[in-house]
Amino acid sequence: MKPPAVAFWAFHVAGVPITQGSMVAFPSRDGKRVVVKHDKHDALKAWRLAIGVAARAAGMRELPCPIAIEATFWLPRPSRPTHQYPVGDVDKLGRALLDALSHIAYLDDSQVVSLNVRKGYAETFPTGVDVTVQSLA
């Protein structure tokens, strides 16, 4: 029996990466319930959509096996940076990526068994994220 072929995709998503983290709660317009959504809801939705479009354009398909993901986020350098590294939590950048790839690269993000996420200033690279996805079965 032949071992299964390894699937591998690499793609770049242009744009300013958006973190997925904090939630905000506020009363609904009718005042009868509480609405909870991400603090950057509209920007996050557009960012995740851009990731999905780039992944599909790269030919990505949903796989039923363990997955390894590597991502390097390139963030804009502020005119007066206060640190030698970009602000924004690397885990929240990764969370947005994983949710965006759900039902595109895998059925559930529990299939991701290896995740390597880095961030840096976009000095010689365009802002966005470089992503590689590989099947491990």
Side-chain angles (χ1 to χ4, degrees):
M1 181 171 167
K2 284 197 307 189
V6 173
F8 179 87
W9 295 277
F11 58 93
H12 176 81
V13 184
V16 177
I18 304 296
T19 57
Q20 178 176 320
S22 303
M23 304 287 275
V24 292
F26 54 90
S28 63
R29 290 188 182 149
D30 62 11
K32 295 181 180 178
R33 55 193 162 82
V34 174
V35 176
V36 178
K37 66 181 190 176
H38 292 282
D39 61 346
K40 301 172 188 171
H41 176 75
D42 294 337
L44 177 61
K45 185 176 179 181
W47 176 242
R48 290 195 305 210
L49 179 64
I51 293 170
V53 167
R56 285 187 177 100
M60 190 170 293
R61 66 185 188 284
E62 193 175 283
L63 297 171
C65 60
I67 303 287
I69 296 177
E70 289 194 21
T72 303
F73 289 88
W74 300 107
L75 301 158
R77 179 183 282 279
S79 57
R80 297 179 138 194
T82 56
H83 306 289
Q84 293 179 344
Y85 51 86
V87 295
D89 294 350
V90 74
D91 62 316
K92 292 180 181 181
L93 290 166
R95 189 177 309 153
L97 175 68
L98 289 178
D99 282 357
L101 292 177
S102 185
H103 298 284
I104 296 173
Y106 41 78
L107 182 60
D108 185 82
D109 57 15
S110 66
Q111 288 174 249
V112 178
V113 298
S114 176
L115 178 63
N116 185 355
V117 180
R118 297 176 294 278
K119 64 180 180 174
Y121 284 127
E123 310 218 44
T124 57
F125 301 98
T127 59
V129 62
D130 293 317
V131 181
T132 61
V133 177
Q134 180 177 351
S135 67
L136 297 177

